[in-house]
Amino acid sequence: MKLRKARIADVEEMMILINSNAEQGLMLGRSRNMLYENIREFLLAEVDGQLVGVASLHILWSDLAEIRALAVSSDYKRRGIGTQIVKGLEQEARELGCTKLFALTYQPEFFKHCGYEEVSKDEMPQKVWTECINCIKFPNCDEIAVSRIL
């Protein structure tokens, strides 16, 4: 398995992978527009040149970043690919000087396995919610917040 930064040419494949996971109720879907606008944030996992995983590191403040849009292909789940993507994003956050990561997720057990703790969404800074207004589930968010200090 190889990790690499996303390229514009990857967007269609990324969208299929993310939205197929969303259709299974594992995460929220993402629009093509969101992927293009945030392409520089994405880290991809490939096996033999095939896209098998994706996630992004979205910087919110000097010390705070969100892991977003984490998806792994059904054929490659439970092989450590999601964990490797998270570790790659954590390393990127460290290199940027970011000390706290969080995710809003339907898969809190996965993140707990990666060293994150479940936290109350009420404890998250207001800055976290600036993009939520565009979510289809706003204001009735049913995702679970997890966080980790690096």
Side-chain angles (χ1 to χ4, degrees):
M1 194 231 6
K2 173 182 141 187
L3 295 177
R4 69 168 175 84
K5 294 299 284 182
R7 296 184 290 261
I8 290 171
D10 297 314
V11 166
E12 294 303 318
E13 219 176 337
M14 291 166 57
M15 193 173 76
I16 290 168
L17 178 57
I18 290 167
N19 290 332
S20 69
N21 275 261
E23 288 168 7
Q24 297 172 51
L26 300 174
M27 63 186 294
L28 295 176
R30 297 292 190 269
S31 70
R32 182 177 283 110
N33 184 60
M34 180 273 189
L35 298 177
Y36 277 120
E37 286 184 354
N38 298 284
I39 193 71
R40 292 180 181 185
E41 299 179 356
F42 281 90
L43 185 64
L44 306 184
E46 290 182 325
V47 173
D48 298 326
Q50 176 186 352
L51 176 65
V52 297
V54 60
S56 76
L57 180 69
H58 184 67
I59 305 299
L60 289 159
W61 202 247
S62 64
D63 63 343
L64 183 65
E66 178 182 8
I67 293 178
R68 301 195 303 182
L70 175 59
V72 175
S73 172
S74 296
D75 295 338
Y76 287 88
K77 288 191 189 310
R78 308 201 60 77
R79 295 188 189 185
I81 290 171
T83 301
Q84 291 303 312
I85 293 170
V86 168
K87 286 181 181 179
L89 293 175
E90 289 173 346
Q91 181 59 36
E92 186 176 345
R94 282 186 193 93
E95 290 169 4
L96 291 168
C98 187
T99 57
K100 185 175 183 180
L101 295 179
F102 78 96
L104 297 172
T105 183
Y106 293 137
Q107 309 300 317
E109 294 307 316
F110 166 79
F111 280 97
K112 288 177 187 176
H113 173 77
C114 293
Y116 289 70
E117 295 180 6
E118 193 170 322
V119 296
S120 168
K121 288 185 281 194
D122 295 335
E123 295 174 19
M124 302 301 292
Q126 190 66 29
K127 181 82 175 155
V128 168
W129 309 112
T130 57
E131 295 180 23
C132 293
I133 197 162
N134 297 319
C135 179
I136 194 168
K137 295 205 173 190
F138 182 79
N140 301 309
C141 178
D142 58 352
E143 291 183 297
I144 296 165
V146 293
S147 180
R148 178 176 187 188
I149 304 294
L150 298 177

